[in-house]
Amino acid sequence: MSYVRVATEEAYAPPEMVAMYLELLDQPGVDPGFESLMGFYLRSEAEKPRTVRRRLQDLGEERLADMDAAGVGHAVLSLTTPGTQILDPARAREIAVIANERIAEACRRRPDRFSGLAAVGFEDAPSAVAELERGVKELGLKGLICNSHIKGHYLDEERFFPILEAAEALGAPIYLHPQTPPPAMIKPLLDAGLDGAIFGFGVETGMHLLRLIVRGVFDRFPGLKVVVGHLGEALPYWLYRLDYMHGVQVRAKRYAGSRPLELKPSEYFRRNIWLTTSGMAWAPAIMFCREVVGADRVMYAMDYPYQYAPEEVVAQDALPISPDELRRFYQTNAVDLFGLDVPSQGPCGRGRS
Ligand code: 1DF
Ligand code: MN
């Protein structure tokens, strides 16, 4: 049985946003997480960040050649973190439109190789709803990218509900992607070099997803679909304890902000949440996640260009799962979730099991 490898967390940065970031980095009082992350990727002269910042801004030949070399047939593109979520509302709207136009153009040019997610400026919810609807209905984008917190705010706040409502109504999955932790959380991570992808990303994003669960977002929007990378930002490993402790504290009425839910925390992982393997090409962890959330909810991602590691494709081709499941992992889970149009014929990015 053959399959097309569909990579689902693939980053793009419009040059216009890179220019804004460089300007922001020069301002006094810049967000420490932003400075740590984008100060490194945009200013360091080391080889890795130089390569990353070139690849990030390309949606053409270099990206396609890298996909070919790694055996990736189709990439779901999204605006790199922190995307619009560090910008003021006017600039956030402007960059969202630029990113959406640019990604949609790449998808029109190579519909066989690219799909994309819409970016929005979250702080202005009415305009975010309009841009999400335009992105999905007019530009053919397949979901919404949310680069975790919005200046220290989380999607369980009512001000963001119109965006969640629109995503649910459109059937558009929200990819909850990491960002460096906000000022209120970053200090003990930053001084040990743990604020970024090594750990801080996962702590902050896992907490964000957990907030959505325990604050009842999935009871309010039962059809909402959330995709989370890095095999669920460690939460699958916690599910037993989350269920147990959540039950205890709700029964004891310990917290005003921790109320009864319609389902156990773990059950939302089998109804509303999908996982990708970005940055976690590690068979024992993938096999564990598949066991606890179900094989139809775990799918492949590369995290290009940040983790462009073709050998990780080789490792995931060798997962100890059936040929049918390997095809779901690489191709059909993503096609079904995002509603992708991935050609099943053609030479690009195919594997055989
Ligand atoms: C890194 C990792 C950077 C991921 C990313 O965007 C990113 C990194 C700035 O390694 O610094 O998306 N990631 O998702 O793991
Ligand atoms: Mn990523």
Side-chain angles (χ1 to χ4, degrees), residues 76-122:
V76 181
L77 304 166
S78 54
L79 181 64
T80 198
T81 196
T84 63
Q85 292 165 227
I86 192 77
L87 304 173
D88 64 66
R91 291 185 138 192
R93 279 194 300 272
E94 182 187 337
I95 289 301
V97 169
I98 290 173
N100 295 340
E101 294 293 339
R102 213 57 65 63
I103 288 175
E105 185 192 321
C107 299
R108 281 192 300 272
R109 213 164 50 234
R110 289 309 299 264
D112 54 336
R113 308 306 299 275
F114 296 132
S115 298
L117 305 182
V120 301
F122 286 88

Side-chain angles (χ1 to χ4, degrees), residues 12-35:
Y12 168 64
E16 294 88 340
M17 186 176 83
V18 170
M20 280 183 195
Y21 280 5
L22 287 167
E23 206 180 290
L24 265 180
L25 285 167
D26 279 334
Q27 284 170 15
V30 63
D31 177 271
F34 177 69
E35 183 171 41

Side-chain angles (χ1 to χ4, degrees), residues 9 11-13 17 21 34 37-38 41 56 78-86 145-149 177-180 201 204-205 303 306:
E9 186 192 307
Y12 168 64
M17 186 176 83
Y21 280 5
F34 177 69
L37 185 70
M38 281 302 150
Y41 279 113
L56 259 181
S78 54
L79 181 64
T80 198
T81 196
T84 63
Q85 292 165 227
I86 192 77
I145 182 74
C146 176
N147 285 303
S148 201
H149 70 89
H177 182 280
Q179 189 192 150
T180 43
F201 271 23
E204 198 278 336
T205 310
D303 204 18
Y306 297 105

Side-chain angles (χ1 to χ4, degrees), residues 328-342:
R328 286 188 276 156
F329 169 79
Y330 268 120
Q331 180 179 347
T332 41
N333 289 348
V335 165
D336 293 348
L337 173 65
F338 290 107
L340 307 179
D341 192 12
V342 172

Side-chain angles (χ1 to χ4, degrees), residues 21 37 60 65-66 69 76 86 90 121 151 161 167 179 182 185 193 213 221 239 249 255 260 287 307 335:
Y21 280 5
L37 185 70
D66 287 344
V76 181
I86 192 77
K151 299 178 185 162
F161 282 6
Q179 189 192 150
M185 188 177 183
I213 294 171
F221 304 105
L239 291 178
Q249 66 188 43
Y255 298 97
M287 296 306 285
Q307 197 150 339
V335 165

Side-chain angles (χ1 to χ4, degrees), residues 12-323:
Y12 168 64
E16 294 88 340
M17 186 176 83
V18 170
M20 280 183 195
Y21 280 5
L22 287 167
E23 206 180 290
L24 265 180
L25 285 167
D26 279 334
Q27 284 170 15
V30 63
D31 177 271
F34 177 69
E35 183 171 41
S36 169
L37 185 70
M38 281 302 150
F40 173 66
Y41 279 113
L42 299 184
R43 283 174 166 166
S44 168
E45 287 304 322
E47 190 191 333
K48 161 97 194 234
R50 286 168 60 110
T51 307
V52 163
R53 65 183 174 252
R54 185 189 68 242
R55 286 174 168 165
L56 259 181
Q57 299 177 71
D58 171 69
L59 290 176
E61 292 316 309
E62 181 174 12
R63 189 176 292 250
L64 286 167
D66 287 344
M67 287 163 63
D68 288 343
V72 171
H74 196 92
V76 181
L77 304 166
S78 54
L79 181 64
T80 198
T81 196
T84 63
Q85 292 165 227
I86 192 77
L87 304 173
D88 64 66
R91 291 185 138 192
R93 279 194 300 272
E94 182 187 337
I95 289 301
V97 169
I98 290 173
N100 295 340
E101 294 293 339
R102 213 57 65 63
I103 288 175
E105 185 192 321
C107 299
R108 281 192 300 272
R109 213 164 50 234
R110 289 309 299 264
D112 54 336
R113 308 306 299 275
F114 296 132
S115 298
L117 305 182
V120 301
F122 286 88
E123 288 183 283
D124 178 352
S127 102
V129 168
E131 184 59 13
L132 174 60
E133 287 179 344
R134 186 182 82 94
V136 171
K137 291 182 184 165
E138 291 173 32
L139 300 178
L141 300 172
K142 304 298 184 186
L144 172 64
I145 182 74
C146 176
N147 285 303
S148 201
H149 70 89
I150 298 116
K151 299 178 185 162
H153 292 270
Y154 294 88
L155 290 180
D156 58 277
E157 292 175 38
E158 278 203 32
R159 55 190 282 221
F160 301 119
F161 282 6
I163 304 170
L164 305 185
E165 193 178 356
E168 184 190 41
L170 290 163
I174 300 178
Y175 201 118
L176 189 66
H177 182 280
Q179 189 192 150
T180 43
M185 188 177 183
I186 200 171
K187 197 169 178 299
L189 292 159
L190 185 58
D191 64 18
L194 293 174
D195 54 302
I198 185 174
F199 192 68
F201 271 23
V203 171
E204 198 278 336
T205 310
M207 183 193 70
H208 193 162
L209 179 56
L210 211 39
R211 284 190 65 104
L212 300 186
I213 294 171
V214 302
R215 305 286 286 171
V217 163
F218 296 112
D219 291 344
R220 175 121 178 199
F221 304 105
L224 191 64
K225 301 171 186 175
V226 173
V227 191
V228 62
H230 315 99
L231 284 178
E233 311 295 358
L235 293 183
Y237 197 77
W238 281 82
L239 291 178
Y240 175 87
R241 188 163 172 79
L242 291 168
D243 285 350
Y244 183 88
M245 289 299 170
H246 187 262
V248 168
Q249 66 188 43
V250 164
R251 279 191 298 280
K253 298 187 169 56
R254 179 169 168 181
Y255 298 97
S258 183
R259 288 181 297 269
L261 297 171
E262 288 173 14
L263 303 177
K264 289 189 216 162
S266 66
E267 291 173 329
Y268 297 98
F269 278 81
R270 291 173 171 271
R271 189 184 75 180
N272 299 93
I273 296 164
W274 282 258
L275 313 181
T276 80
T277 63
S278 53
M280 288 291 280
W282 191 30
I286 296 171
M287 296 306 285
F288 173 79
C289 286
R290 136 189 197 284
E291 182 179 338
V292 298
V293 305
D296 291 340
R297 294 183 173 275
V298 181
M299 67 191 96
Y300 171 66
M302 171 171 274
D303 204 18
Y304 182 89
Y306 297 105
Q307 197 150 339
Y308 181 55
E311 66 277 14
E312 294 185 344
V313 173
V314 177
Q316 288 169 89
D317 281 345
L319 284 170
I321 56 181
S322 70

